[in-house]
Amino acid sequence: MSVLISPALLNGSSAPVPATDTEEDEESLTHPLLNRLSRSASNNTSQVAIVGSSVSPIESLDYEIMENDYFKQDWRRGEKIQILQYVSMKWMMCFFIGLLVGLVGFCNNLAVENIAGMKFVVTSDLMRARRYTTAFLVFASSNFGLTLFAGLITAFIAPEAAGSGIPEVKAYLNGVDAPAIFSLRTLFVKIVGSISAVSGSLVIGKAGPMVHTGACIAALMGQGGSQKYGLTWKWLKYFKNDRDRRDLVTCGSAAGMAAAFRAPVGGLLFALEEMASWWRSALLWRAFFTTAVVAIVLRALIDVCLSGKCGLFGKGGLIMFDVTSANIAYQIWDVPPVLLLAVIGGIWASLYNFLQDRVLRIYNRINERRAAYKIVLALTVSIFTSCLLFGLPWLAPCRPCPSDTSEPCPTIGRNGNYKKFQCPPGHYNDLASLFFNTNDDAIKNLFSKNTDAEFHPFSMLIFFITCFFLSIFSYGIVAPAGLFVPVIVTGAAYGRFIGMIFGSQSTLNHGLFAVLGSASFLGGSMRMTVSLCVIILELTNDLLLLPLMMLVLLISKTVADAFNGNIYDLIMRAKGFPYLERHAEPYLRQLAVSDVVTGPLQLFNGIEKVGNIVHVLKTTGHNGFPVVDEPPHSAAPVLYGLVLRAHLITLLKKKAFLQNPAPAGDDAFEQFSADDFAKKGLEHVDRVEDIQLKDEEMDMFIDLHPFCNTSPFTVVETMSLAKALMLFREVGLRHLLVIPKVSGRIPVVGIITRHDFMPEHVLSLHPSLAKSKWKRLRVKLPRGVKII
């Protein structure tokens, strides 16, 4: 029969840590529903987090292969041709992922450029006719309608599609699964909602949604399609475990970033540096192949559009900001302004992360309510944005058109550096040239060379401040929204403003300062170096900037690290994802694994009664159970292995029962197939409550030996908690068995799971260790002046 043992725990308690003086404000902004559900689920492997814009249960993934007897027998039966087919399918899947993500990325840009372009053309025509009120109504109502559409489909079809999706994908690759983040409806809403929201002139980007889109495509292909909607293909169902699907999702996220910026190497490095928690050389090659396919697809489609067959898109281009100049040169006296730009940019970016975190926590409270509140919030942001984008250019003075320009002035049509707005003939409004464009074209205008005299410092300051705050308040609404492009455009405005200040003392033109400003904001906000450096170089097509780019990224990241974490880690923390960091906090080295496990632990005997299994499955939410052999089946109590909840449910469904408590024969495997123990799809979960058993069947037995993982990872109870964390994270475990230091005791004393490593659980058990946490610089304001 099953045994209850204490102290030991399948899952740690997630009780909150008592707030200290420095943590009080952060604790007060925590999502209240998230707190309640976390406390109620403290003894289960499942927890809750904010996925997109809704609170959803989450669970851990298991990247360890369950090496039970059935797995070994199935693998031994495999022929060489099947192994070759398995390996070939991985490469074929990477090809199709790259192909589909490239097509989706191109169609996204095609749709945004044409929808937003038509809106700007109509508004500009009304402005030239001096019908200013009508122009504003058309502009604002178009943005309102596009945002309303994006909000409606996100709130009512797939709330998981809200936001950029990068925190959710990053958490998945760290071992945290959430329902529906890779479903077919999430993919649909992510694509359509991102197009609509970006076209609605919100200060958001489509790079983050593209990463999530690529991950969705990879996950759906990895499970053979969508079972819920009947779109499945049996020939794709080769990947039956979390590890294979994790590799595909990693390739999909790399492909998404490559498609967003036409940066194949940058997308690969982004997945390696920021997204993946586990990497190996074989995965590197497949991800590289996937991004190469994306680059080829985009190049072929762009060539078609250059002939003018893609409407307004053919005039704009695919997110390519070419600032190449054959005469780029910089001297030693150019370095101090660049260093100052990097330091100040890091400070601004850390402030950006701080404000974004606080605003997102407030939005979480609003999004906790009914869908109507979410949509009203999104529409409020849309109206406020439209008023600013249309009203602020009236503050900028009209500037005469330059005589040596290579393009028409004022601009006729959608894109260009010289928007007429309300100015007389022969003049242009520099601020309208930035506001009345898509974010991509605004970046292109800021990055453009030989334009030092085209923007006024006052206009650039207004544009920087506006983008800084609008991007903060636009992220978190119920719509797909990315952060990459807003951070780039904000940093470009900041860098160009710095270039205007130091223009007479530097040989660098303002466009190059804008590129370096974007690098400083990206490094200070995202806290990446190598991938950002390559992405920006692939965007600008200018290798001569490499030394300065590396310097700016390193300095801005170092400065910002002193204040807070990167933006995606802050968002994951605000959403409640139990993310395992790369480093261990100092207090973890002061604890052993036995210090964080508490009772009770549920064990099964090697031959267990059906009624006991059903009772345990119904009364607990645990995912894995140690199996122990005791006399007479063994000379002494011994840990035989670990059996999964999903495998127990499969045994109950198949009714693999025995009349007597005796070992099963060699025919135990005949009634099962490999698919029975494969990882179920993203939208399919078996429940023990759905299994109907008779009373006489409840008195039968199940031999668990053939279905146990006989080689689970184990640690001695005296091992350092920090060392156990590194093992848990690097191998990608869901369960880590704790065995006793000395013999003569029960063979397993506890199970360590992901939540046992969480600071909330550890510090709730040992609050005196809170002083050993890593500290960051803080600017502590008097309570009377605290606003957020």
Side-chain angles (χ1 to χ4, degrees), residues 312-329:
L312 293 167
F313 177 76
K315 301 177 183 178
L318 180 71
I319 317 181
M320 189 68 180
F321 318 120
D322 192 350
V323 298
T324 302
S325 175
N327 299 320
I328 286 183

Side-chain angles (χ1 to χ4, degrees), residues 386-575:
S386 298
C387 292
L388 289 180
L389 299 189
F390 193 89
L392 289 177
W394 293 86
L395 303 178
C398 294
R399 299 171 63 84
C401 292
S403 57
D404 57 347
T405 180
S406 60
E407 61 179 277
C409 182
T411 300
I412 305 298
R414 184 185 67 80
N415 61 324
N417 280 4
Y418 309 103
K419 292 288 186 179
K420 183 175 180 295
F421 205 64
Q422 89 290 6
C423 296
H427 291 71
Y428 72 98
N429 189 310
D430 58 348
L431 195 53
S433 300
L434 298 173
F435 280 138
F436 268 67
N437 265 323
T438 61
N439 288 331
D440 297 341
D441 285 326
I443 296 173
K444 184 178 295 185
N445 293 343
L446 292 170
F447 281 5
S448 58
K449 58 188 177 182
N450 303 323
T451 58
D452 289 2
E454 293 182 6
F455 297 98
H456 192 276
F458 177 71
S459 300
M460 195 56 56
L461 181 61
I462 291 178
F463 183 72
F464 164 66
I465 296 175
T466 303
C467 289
F468 184 87
F469 287 103
L470 281 183
S471 61
I472 290 174
F473 287 100
S474 298
Y475 186 85
I477 64 174
V478 60
L483 286 172
F484 247 93
V485 172
V487 171
I488 291 177
V489 70
T490 304
Y494 156 74
R496 198 166 184 107
F497 181 74
I498 295 295
M500 293 175 177
I501 296 176
F502 292 100
S504 59
Q505 288 84 27
S506 176
T507 58
L508 299 176
N509 64 61
H510 295 175
L512 298 180
F513 268 105
V515 174
L516 296 176
S518 292
S520 71
F521 258 66
L522 285 171
S525 179
M526 311 293 180
R527 310 297 163 82
M528 293 175 280
T529 52
V530 180
S531 58
L532 289 178
C533 185
V534 174
I535 287 175
I536 296 176
L537 290 178
E538 288 182 297
L539 281 177
T540 59
N541 195 23
D542 191 352
L543 285 174
L544 295 177
L545 278 177
L546 180 60
L548 292 180
M549 192 80 63
M550 296 170 64
L551 187 65
V552 168
L553 285 170
L554 287 171
I555 293 176
S556 62
K557 178 187 182 302
T558 303
V559 171
D561 275 338
F563 294 96
N564 47 38
N566 80 62
I567 185 64
Y568 295 124
D569 287 350
L570 293 176
I571 294 174
M572 282 194 297
R573 190 175 300 115
K575 286 176 173 286

Side-chain angles (χ1 to χ4, degrees), residues 269-285:
L269 294 175
F270 170 79
L272 169 61
E273 184 178 6
E274 178 64 16
M275 302 298 294
S277 297
W278 191 79
W279 198 267
R280 54 198 173 98
S281 58
L283 179 58
L284 175 67
W285 281 105

Side-chain angles (χ1 to χ4, degrees), residues 68 548 590:
N68 52 36
L548 292 180
Q590 305 176 35

Side-chain angles (χ1 to χ4, degrees), residues 94-102 105 207 210-215 217-218 248-264 266-268 270-271 286-295 298:
C94 291
F95 172 79
F96 283 115
I97 290 170
L99 177 65
L100 292 176
V101 173
M210 271 306 304
V211 172
H212 193 183
T213 298
I217 292 174
L248 290 176
V249 169
T250 303
C251 293
S253 63
M257 184 58 68
F261 293 114
R262 207 172 81 184
L268 168 66
F270 170 79
R286 284 195 290 271
F288 182 77
F289 173 70
T290 308
T291 57
V293 173
V294 172
L298 291 179

Side-chain angles (χ1 to χ4, degrees), residues 1-3 602-617 627-628 633 648 651-652 656-662 688 693-705:
M1 58 183 295
S2 59
V3 182
Q602 187 71 57
L603 300 178
F604 284 130
N605 287 323
I607 301 177
E608 188 59 78
K609 192 174 182 180
V610 173
N612 292 337
I613 295 177
V614 172
H615 173 74
V616 170
L617 293 181
V627 175
V628 175
H633 301 290
L648 291 173
L651 295 175
L652 293 175
F657 305 151
L658 303 171
Q659 292 289 345
N660 301 310
V688 67
L693 297 174
K694 301 178 182 178
D695 292 339
E696 56 269 23
E697 291 175 333
M698 298 288 282
D699 294 327
M700 294 183 179
F701 299 87
I702 297 179
D703 184 4
L704 300 179
H705 293 101

